Amino acid sequence: MAKWGMVIDLEKCVGCQACTVACGMENSRLPGEMWQDVIFFTEGTHPSAQLKWFPRPCQHCENPSCVAVCPTHATYKTEDGVVLVDWNRCIGCKYCMIACPYGVRFYTDEKPLVAPDMRKVLASKDDHSWNPPWKMPDAREDWKHGVGIQPHDVVSKCTFCYHRISKAPPGTPDLDPQDPKLREFTPACVVTCAPGARYFGDLSNPNSEVSRMIGDKRGVRLLDQLGNKPQVYYLTGDGGAVPSSRAINKKV
Amino acid sequence: MNFIYPKTVNEAISGALKMFGENHVTATIWKASVAVLAASLGFVFYMLFTEGHASFNTSSDGVNWGSAIATYVYFALISSGLTIIASLATVFGFKQFYPVAKRCIWLAIVTLIAGFAVLALELGHPFRMLWAVPSGMQIYSPMFWMGVFYVIDLGLLIVKFYLMWKEDWDSPFSHFIGIAGFIAVVLASGMLGLLFGSMAMRPMWFGSATSVFFILSGVLSGAAAIVFSVYLAYGFDTKNMPEQLRSLALSDQLPKVFATLIGIVLVFLLTRIWVGLWSNQDGMEGFVALLNTPWFHLEVWVCLALPFLMMLSPSMQLAPKWQVTASILVLAGMFIERLQFIVAGQNVPMFKGTWMNSVTPYTPSLTESALVVVGISTALALYALGERLSNLSAAPKESIEAAGQLARG
């Protein structure tokens, strides 16, 4: 069984946010509620201040604290290493959001981040939280795996495009979007990444491209000291950086 | 108050309805709290049906758990504290505390129900919880165990109250229920602390001390609740109290216990602040923000340090008005504590670039504030109901002797 993981080369990432848009379209995200966010921040002060950016999908941890805290087992880890939410079981207690160190989980019913509130403009007449004009075919929607437009009052998150990767031929070491045979099984953010900064493959296969890159180019993980062991690795090279410290300075 | 207490369910229902036409302290609390409950619950339901949980000011980007969770924790820990205080008489043999034991158990039931009610209105799918938690069996989740222990606790409290209502104080079964209830409530409140204390990614909560703090601060809020309730029931006048209760209220044991508990909680709070300010560990910045809020100082100095001094002072500790003032201050302080603890633990961003470049602001919305009112009015209404329908000051005969000895010193 594969253990799916992602490698993001921060030296190649240009911060264009095409991944954010592709994910939003693929997974019918509410405007502002980005499963695949690119976060912008600054390092240093004038005149040597730098604008930095950092793409942040769900890290699909090896030791996911969100799975351990979920009182109903709505959040679970699949055999192929993906952390998912079963929307039929989620009670909306938000404990997983508390326990996630990466801030990649979203509660459906909150004040809208972008006006007007699209849940009201494109209101749903059934159990879905809204009814966008762009959405995946109904046959692909899968609430047990947190795929599609979610119902009200549940927590949602990046699924590594589970509706795509779960259909990949068994034993595939890497889901390379350049390969026409594998393209439809590759996560939308990886397919769309213009500079080719994203790689997706089987971390349990030492011969996969992702495993080689992590070994050869010193892949690092976000907040590794917490022990969640993300399955998303970042290659920093000379120019990239994984934010490790919190944003504010401590001043008494 | 000397009521004629109902003996059947029909009498109890008619007694509750009749209270709307009666004129005494308990009836006033009943009428006012039912009216406030109806209004606040109506508003919360209206907002939940029209806006849903979007009417809350909580957000995925920062504070996920807001004042509703703080209110639940507040009431759950008052309930746990009350149960532990009742155990002084029912488990540990301090018979002088029997005059408040039945009242403690009833208040523990009603505060736990108030907490659960607020929690149910905060949850996305409270009814789904009823089947999804038992069928999920996620034994690694502190929330799972907290739920298990609090449900057991509530069940045992109801059985214990029934036994006390039947005046079964000393049978082996009654003892067993008391001991089991004590164990369940320590596990429940301790597990509620571990729910926060297990979170290594939230350094302001992290550590087993959180669990111990929850148990002990729960006992303090329980003590404040029982002192306030005893005086409230008798119109803040010790002359109206039955003999054994008056002996307990006027002995120096109560203020001594009260002062000790406040002292313990102050030590916990101030050592926690010390570690938070001293440590350079990433994520402790929230303690600085905490220190800069007026609420923190109101809690520590006015709501805890001041009652601590009042209950130590020989000239003030025995005066009912200062005991009542201390209990009200402590109850208010503990609410501030629960809210600050929960919010401050979340509002330091996890890492640079969570879109938040400073401590995330959070103020409860109108709906969330109404939910706090729902909790308080539920507890008060059910308390008044218990006061009217059952003699909450009932105690076994031997405790009257113990209380008499206490009064004689």
Side-chain angles (χ1 to χ4, degrees):
Chain A
M1 186 58 81
K3 185 171 111 182
W4 296 117
M6 190 181 281
V7 171
I8 302 176
D9 189 337
L10 294 175
E11 274 196 314
K12 285 188 182 172
C13 175
V14 295
C16 67
Q17 302 176 77
C19 50
T20 308
V21 175
C23 171
M25 297 301 285
E26 178 77 16
N27 294 297
S28 308
R29 289 302 82 214
L30 272 172
E33 187 204 72
M34 304 305 182
W35 281 357
Q36 163 48 66
D37 216 343
V38 181
I39 295 157
F40 288 80
F41 58 102
T42 54
E43 288 282 19
T45 49
H46 178 78
S48 54
Q50 281 190 320
L51 180 65
K52 299 273 188 188
W53 52 88
F54 185 73
R56 182 198 60 179
C58 169
Q59 308 287 303
H60 294 276
C61 307
E62 285 173 26
N63 299 329
S65 42
C66 55
V67 170
V69 299
C70 176
T72 65
H73 243 151
T75 284
Y76 61 100
K77 195 159 173 72
T78 62
E79 284 187 349
D80 45 359
V82 183
V83 176
L84 298 174
V85 185
D86 181 348
W87 288 331
N88 293 320
R89 294 191 72 86
C90 177
I91 58 170
C93 71
K94 301 189 255 185
Y95 197 12
C96 55
M97 294 164 69
I98 294 283
C100 171
Y102 304 105
V104 296
R105 291 177 159 259
F106 302 89
Y107 190 63
T108 315
D109 294 68
E110 287 180 351
K111 294 232 168 359
L113 288 163
V114 179
D117 187 350
M118 282 296 151
R119 287 167 302 197
K120 287 188 173 159
V121 176
L122 301 167
S124 169
K125 291 189 172 63
D126 53 27
D127 290 342
H128 294 86
S129 53
W130 67 312
N131 183 32
W134 62 93
K135 56 186 168 188
M136 64 175 62
D138 288 348
R140 277 196 147 185
E141 188 164 275
D142 179 5
W143 282 8
K144 262 187 95 59
H145 295 95
V147 171
I149 302 163
Q150 74 268 40
H152 279 288
D153 287 308
V154 294
V155 172
S156 73
K157 63 179 279 298
C158 155
T159 64
F160 265 174
C161 284
Y162 197 71
H163 53 289
R164 286 168 165 251
I165 62 167
S166 57
K167 308 273 190 313
T172 311
D174 289 282
L175 293 175
D176 181 359
Q178 306 296 330
D179 182 343
K181 293 196 293 294
L182 297 176
R183 195 176 168 86
E184 65 178 303
F185 308 123
T186 311
C189 59
V190 181
V191 172
T192 208
C193 183
R198 285 170 181 258
Y199 305 86
F200 195 85
D202 182 1
L203 297 175
S204 67
N205 183 343
N207 293 314
S208 66
E209 183 67 14
V210 284
S211 295
R212 286 175 192 273
M213 291 177 90
I214 293 163
D216 293 348
K217 298 186 174 178
R218 296 190 306 277
V220 294
R221 305 190 274 202
L222 183 58
L223 301 180
D224 215 6
Q225 73 275 16
L226 291 173
N228 277 28
K229 301 196 185 303
Q231 287 171 208
V232 174
Y233 286 77
Y234 294 92
L235 307 180
T236 56
D238 292 330
V242 174
S244 57
S245 63
R246 299 192 189 224
I248 52 177
N249 289 322
K250 191 171 153 182
K251 292 192 197 91
V252 179
Chain B
M1 207 59 63
N2 295 316
F3 298 123
I4 297 162
Y5 299 109
K7 291 192 172 56
T8 64
V9 175
N10 281 342
E11 280 178 26
I13 293 170
S14 67
L17 292 175
K18 261 199 297 192
M19 204 165 25
F20 284 109
E22 293 173 1
N23 191 20
H24 46 78
V25 184
T26 308
T28 310
I29 297 168
W30 167 248
K31 285 181 274 191
S33 52
V34 167
V36 172
L37 176 61
S40 55
L41 197 58
F43 176 71
V44 169
F45 273 130
Y46 172 76
M47 291 307 288
L48 287 181
F49 280 121
T50 53
E51 296 290 316
H53 285 96
S55 57
F56 285 20
N57 277 352
T58 47
S59 134
S60 297
D61 271 339
V63 177
N64 312 142
W65 281 348
S67 62
I69 296 295
T71 310
Y72 162 68
V73 172
Y74 177 67
F75 279 117
L77 290 180
I78 289 181
S79 168
S80 302
L82 285 159
T83 311
I84 292 171
I85 291 169
S87 306
L88 288 176
T90 59
V91 178
F92 296 103
F94 295 101
K95 292 198 177 348
Q96 65 269 38
F97 287 97
Y98 252 127
V100 293
K102 189 177 173 188
R103 182 178 296 277
C104 275
I105 297 289
W106 177 252
L107 284 176
I109 294 171
V110 306
T111 45
L112 198 52
I113 289 173
F116 281 161
V118 173
L119 184 65
L121 290 165
E122 198 270 350
L123 284 178
H125 294 278
F127 295 110
R128 184 177 293 173
M129 177 178 68
L130 300 177
W131 62 263
V133 173
S135 67
M137 285 304 286
Q138 178 46 294
I139 57 168
Y140 295 111
S141 173
M143 192 181 275
F144 172 83
W145 289 110
M146 179 206 71
V148 167
F149 293 138
Y150 265 123
V151 167
I152 294 173
D153 174 39
L154 183 60
L156 291 170
L157 283 170
I158 291 170
V159 173
K160 186 72 190 172
F161 187 78
Y162 174 77
L163 293 171
M164 287 175 152
W165 182 59
K166 289 277 179 193
E167 305 216 334
D168 173 2
W169 306 96
D170 264 337
S171 73
F173 181 65
S174 186
H175 267 293
F176 167 75
I177 294 294
I179 293 166
F182 176 75
I183 294 169
V185 84
V186 170
L187 289 173
S189 51
M191 195 46 89
L192 182 55
L194 289 182
L195 192 147
F196 297 97
S198 305
M199 300 293 104
M201 67 297 292
R202 309 266 180 192
M204 289 180 72
W205 291 344
F206 185 49
S208 56
T210 303
S211 186
V212 181
F213 174 68
F214 268 40
I215 297 172
L216 293 173
S217 63
V219 180
L220 172 63
S221 27
I226 192 65
V227 170
F228 180 66
S229 149
V230 164
Y231 282 109
L232 186 64
Y234 295 98
F236 300 101
D237 190 346
T238 47
K239 286 195 206 74
N240 299 334
M241 292 180 186
E243 170 62 29
Q244 71 268 37
L245 194 58
R246 190 182 324 137
S247 312
L248 179 63
L250 295 179
S251 80
D252 66 349
Q253 289 215 347
L254 187 83
K256 275 182 186 164
V257 170
F258 206 12
T260 308
L261 289 168
I262 301 173
I264 291 169
V265 168
L266 271 174
V267 167
F268 261 100
L269 278 179
L270 296 176
T271 49
R272 185 167 148 252
I273 276 284
W274 168 275
V275 172
L277 295 179
W278 195 92
S279 167
N280 279 336
Q281 195 198 340
D282 205 29
M284 293 293 206
E285 301 87 342
F287 283 105
V288 181
L290 201 59
L291 206 63
N292 289 335
T293 60
W295 292 106
F296 172 78
H297 295 281
L298 183 68
E299 176 200 337
V300 171
W301 310 120
V302 180
C303 295
L304 290 172
L306 194 63
F308 180 61
L309 296 175
M310 281 179 185
M311 291 299 99
L312 282 183
S313 154
S315 61
M316 295 169 93
Q317 62 179 192
L318 294 180
K321 66 176 173 185
W322 296 121
Q323 289 186 1
V324 172
T325 309
S327 66
I328 291 172
L329 286 174
V330 166
L331 282 173
M334 284 292 101
F335 185 77
I336 299 171
E337 167 57 28
R338 304 305 176 214
L339 186 57
Q340 292 224 323
F341 179 87
I342 284 164
V343 172
Q346 299 169 70
N347 63 5
V348 181
M350 287 292 195
F351 55 92
K352 186 173 279 193
T354 50
W355 292 116
M356 289 294 167
N357 293 313
S358 61
V359 171
T360 317
Y362 168 76
T363 312
S365 69
L366 199 59
T367 310
E368 288 174 282
S369 305
L371 207 43
V372 177
V373 178
V374 167
I376 295 170
S377 52
T378 302
L380 282 174
L382 290 175
Y383 152 73
L385 203 58
E387 189 72 49
R388 179 67 186 83
L389 301 183
S390 180
N391 178 12
L392 295 184
S393 296
K397 288 191 178 65
E398 66 264 49
S399 79
I400 297 172
E401 179 55 29
Q405 283 173 1
L406 196 69
R408 289 191 292 276

